[in-house]
Amino acid sequence: MNENEKRLLTAVEERIQSFHQKAEADPYRLNYHLLPPIGLLNDPNGLSFFKGRYHFFYQWNPLEESHGAKFWGHYSSEDLATWRHEPIALVPSEWYERNGCYSGSAVVSDDHLFLFYTGNVKNDAGERETYQCLAVSEDGVHFEKKGPVITLPEGFTAHFRDPKVWKRGATWHMVIGAQTSEGAGAVVLYTSDDLYRWNYKGIIAGAGRDALGGYMWECPDLLEFDEGDVLLISPQGIEPEEDRYQNLFQSGYMTGALDVDSSRFSHGDFSELDKGFDFYAPQTMTDEAGRRILVAWMGMTDSQEPYHPTLNYHWIHALTIPRELELKDGVVLQRPVNELKKLRAGAFSVRSKELLAGEKWKFEGMGVESKELIIDVLKAGSFSIRLRNEAEIHYDCQKGRVTLTRRRLDDGSTERRRVDVSRVQKLHLFLDHSSLELFLNDGEHVLTARYFPRVSDDSIIFHSKENVMFSVEAYTLRS
Ligand code: FRU
């Protein structure tokens, strides 16, 4: 370990000593979501399964509650339900990463775990430099840095980052998020036989050729399903359009086919993955059972970020729960992974509740903030569900539309996100101390949000606008 790394790790250790207790005492601290011990978390990185454990790394600034020189934090788990916080995997200690070990991915080869990440550098002239770097581990916990394996090719600005590697046939492939010299977002492709030497293949999507536009496409990921390929991207610079693209930055996918020889991804339109407020930079992995699992940053670098009340407790942001993906008729469906059932503690159910138009019903009896609710709509009609007097889910049965509202952190006004759902049959809700993830109709749509209700308020109030009937199955969830 060099002096620089030692110095940075000591500074982190001291800061954890000083603030961890305070962070843990925050009533908004989440119960079963992955969090930074202190400091700021953003993207999930290096999702992988190695030597019997799932490994989820994450972008972490342990030295401040703001964006800066990122480390790679690390959690591991046998079952996606119970997690262990591991030692820091990557420290931004070398010249080629001195302003951050930025986002990247992991693959297993020859019994080793290979991490690919972006070395972010602001040089002495204040200009950005970018290096795609490699670090290798035998035990999945300690990493040996191999330095840059890819430097910036011609035709791009230094906004060139977030390598995602996967194997197709016998060849390793890597997609990278990029900005062309003309200022357009793009995804580029590299291939390799040995994970060390990489060949530039070309631009597979974006670069002004797509209707979508945007000035930078971050965090690409290429998923192979039996039905076809899916390219995930997190584009920046997309203007809002009716109910779409309401967040500062978007995350979504295009289905199609990657042709490596011509280096083209022919594809359809872009769809957002999550229609809520706090969802960005998702990454996926395939596990031993062949499941495609997605996790995202449950946050956003928008104007509300500086107002998060958790900043007073020296931490900010979390990861979403892991979701299993399925591609069905061109649509990516997302469902909470089955393992989350292990978190279920107390159970509570209401077999069939009928509400007449205008009636209110308070769902009581759980007494905790962290819980899961499965609501089956047995007789459809318009209704709303008010969560802890702070957020609201509203279903308009006539218009076929679901709206999620919450209070903004900066000016206290109400903001909303909307999705068209012709008929809501099922709402599956994951609630934590300051988050909600709503899965509609078995993952047809998902809406994710952080929200900060009054701490002791755990009320859930149903309000029918028309006659409705539904059943509720609920579980308290432990950490
Ligand atoms: C996405 C992102 C990535 C980058 C990382 C830095 O949120 O901007 O493009 O690698 O965060 O933390």
Side-chain angles (χ1 to χ4, degrees):
M1 190 187 297
N2 68 28
E3 281 311 309
N4 212 14
E5 188 167 351
K6 252 190 228 156
R7 183 181 57 79
L8 286 164
L9 283 173
T10 310
V12 172
E13 214 25 69
E14 281 173 12
R15 206 163 181 268
I16 290 178
Q17 288 290 329
S18 313
F19 298 135
H20 190 223
Q21 259 186 351
K22 173 107 192 205
E24 286 294 328
D26 184 353
Y28 289 133
R29 198 117 171 116
L30 300 169
N31 207 17
Y32 56 89
H33 286 83
L34 296 182
L35 306 170
I38 57 163
L40 176 144
L41 165 153
N42 54 304
D43 312 353
N45 292 157
L47 306 186
S48 48
F49 188 82
F50 180 59
K51 296 194 171 165
R53 297 185 74 80
Y54 288 92
H55 293 269
F56 284 12
F57 301 85
Y58 63 90
Q59 286 287 285
W60 187 20
N61 185 0
L63 296 174
E64 291 161 310
E65 281 73 59
S66 56
H67 296 271
K70 302 286 166 62
F71 295 57
W72 273 39
H74 185 188
Y75 277 100
S76 79
S77 167
E78 268 178 8
D79 61 0
L80 294 174
T82 312
W83 294 88
R84 178 161 90 200
H85 199 246
E86 301 280 7
I88 290 176
L90 298 173
V91 177
S93 55
E94 307 299 323
W95 67 267
Y96 51 78
E97 57 185 16
R98 72 173 200 219
N99 298 97
C101 298
Y102 272 15
S103 283
S105 56
V107 288
V108 178
S109 176
D110 285 336
D111 228 19
H112 285 71
L113 189 62
F114 286 69
L115 301 187
F116 291 89
Y117 64 100
T118 300
N120 178 51
V121 173
K122 294 240 171 77
N123 66 24
D124 295 336
E127 294 151 355
R128 190 188 283 266
E129 294 173 12
T130 176
Y131 303 92
Q132 312 316 311
C133 307
L134 170 62
V136 182
S137 172
E138 230 181 276
D139 63 1
V141 178
H142 304 93
F143 291 87
E144 191 184 322
K145 288 179 186 167
K146 305 287 185 188
V149 290
I150 293 174
T151 54
L152 183 63
E154 263 179 42
F156 300 94
T157 74
H159 288 288
F160 191 87
R161 55 179 171 264
D162 311 334
K164 177 72 180 11
V165 178
W166 81 103
K167 202 173 198 176
R168 191 179 179 106
T171 308
W172 295 104
H173 291 65
M174 178 195 284
V175 278
I176 298 182
Q179 178 180 63
T180 63
S181 305
E182 292 76 39
V187 175
V188 303
L189 178 70
Y190 282 79
T191 58
S192 169
D193 292 328
D194 62 4
L195 292 171
Y196 286 85
R197 284 163 303 165
W198 289 90
N199 305 308
Y200 176 72
K201 303 295 284 185
I203 296 174
I204 61 161
R209 304 190 295 230
D210 288 84
L212 179 65
Y215 59 80
M216 170 66 191
W217 290 8
E218 297 190 312
C219 300
D221 194 352
L222 198 292
L223 291 53
E224 295 171 358
F225 291 94
D226 291 341
E227 196 181 296
D229 296 332
V230 170
L231 180 66
L232 302 192
I233 48 168
S234 292
Q236 300 182 320
I238 312 293
E239 293 299 320
E241 253 174 44
E242 291 170 9
D243 288 341
R244 305 201 296 166
Y245 317 145
Q246 295 295 311
N247 295 336
L248 175 62
F249 300 137
Q250 274 57 54
S251 287
Y253 68 96
M254 307 186 279
T255 55
L258 173 64
D259 180 44
V260 177
D261 293 330
S262 63
S263 154
R264 294 291 285 216
F265 180 69
S266 44
H267 60 83
D269 292 341
F270 176 81
S271 311
E272 286 167 89
L273 268 167
D274 189 299
K275 299 289 290 218
F277 302 93
D278 296 290
F279 181 94
Y280 194 63
Q283 188 179 100
T284 71
M285 62 170 285
T286 313
D287 75 356
E288 301 234 304
R291 291 184 302 175
R292 189 51 88 151
I293 295 165
L294 174 143
V295 178
W297 172 24
M298 191 158 59
M300 185 67 65
T301 41
D302 58 14
S303 57
Q304 296 193 62
E305 195 183 38
Y307 294 90
H308 276 236
T310 69
L311 288 169
N312 298 325
Y313 291 83
H314 296 288
W315 71 282
I316 179 165
H317 300 312
L319 298 181
T320 64
I321 55 169
R323 306 168 179 185
E324 184 179 343
L325 302 187
E326 184 193 347
L327 178 63
K328 201 171 164 199
D329 304 329
V331 178
V332 173
L333 304 176
Q334 303 174 62
R335 297 188 189 95
V337 294
N338 244 324
E339 286 90 333
L340 294 174
K341 290 183 182 152
K342 289 190 181 176
L343 301 176
R344 290 176 179 174
F348 193 88
S349 67
V350 176
R351 190 141 326 131
S352 64
K353 181 78 197 168
E354 183 156 25
L355 293 184
L356 302 177
E359 259 189 305
K360 269 191 188 170
W361 175 61
K362 195 167 174 182
F363 177 75
E364 281 170 315
M366 311 270 305
V368 291
E369 287 109 336
S370 134
K371 54 184 170 249
E372 177 187 354
L373 261 68
I374 302 165
I375 301 157
D376 280 305
V377 180
L378 308 171
K379 191 160 86 194
S382 298
F383 63 89
S384 63
I385 306 173
R386 189 145 179 79
L387 300 168
R388 306 176 65 191
N389 286 304
E390 185 70 23
E392 189 161 286
I393 300 160
H394 179 84
Y395 172 47
D396 185 325
C397 192
Q398 266 68 47
K399 293 203 176 114
R401 181 191 269 172
V402 172
T403 308
L404 174 69
T405 59
R406 71 165 183 193
R407 195 156 52 85
R408 284 186 67 88
L409 291 171
D410 47 6
D411 60 10
S413 64
T414 299
E415 56 179 345
R416 67 197 72 243
R417 295 289 180 270
R418 274 203 289 247
V419 282
D420 291 329
V421 197
S422 49
R423 177 138 150 53
V424 171
Q425 284 159 318
K426 185 170 168 185
L427 301 97
H428 193 168
L429 250 180
F430 277 81
L431 302 174
D432 207 333
H433 290 252
S434 54
S435 72
L436 69 93
E437 284 158 281
L438 170 63
F439 297 80
L440 290 169
N441 292 354
D442 281 319
E444 217 177 273
H445 299 279
V446 191
L447 295 101
T448 297
R450 295 298 302 283
Y451 71 131
F452 301 93
R454 211 161 41 78
V455 170
S456 53
D457 187 340
D458 71 334
S459 64
I460 297 180
I461 298 164
F462 291 77
H463 190 175
S464 63
K465 308 275 149 51
E466 294 159 333
N467 296 0
V468 287
M469 191 155 85
F470 49 84
S471 66
V472 185
E473 187 185 321
Y475 301 91
T476 59
L477 297 178
R478 54 182 177 75
S479 54

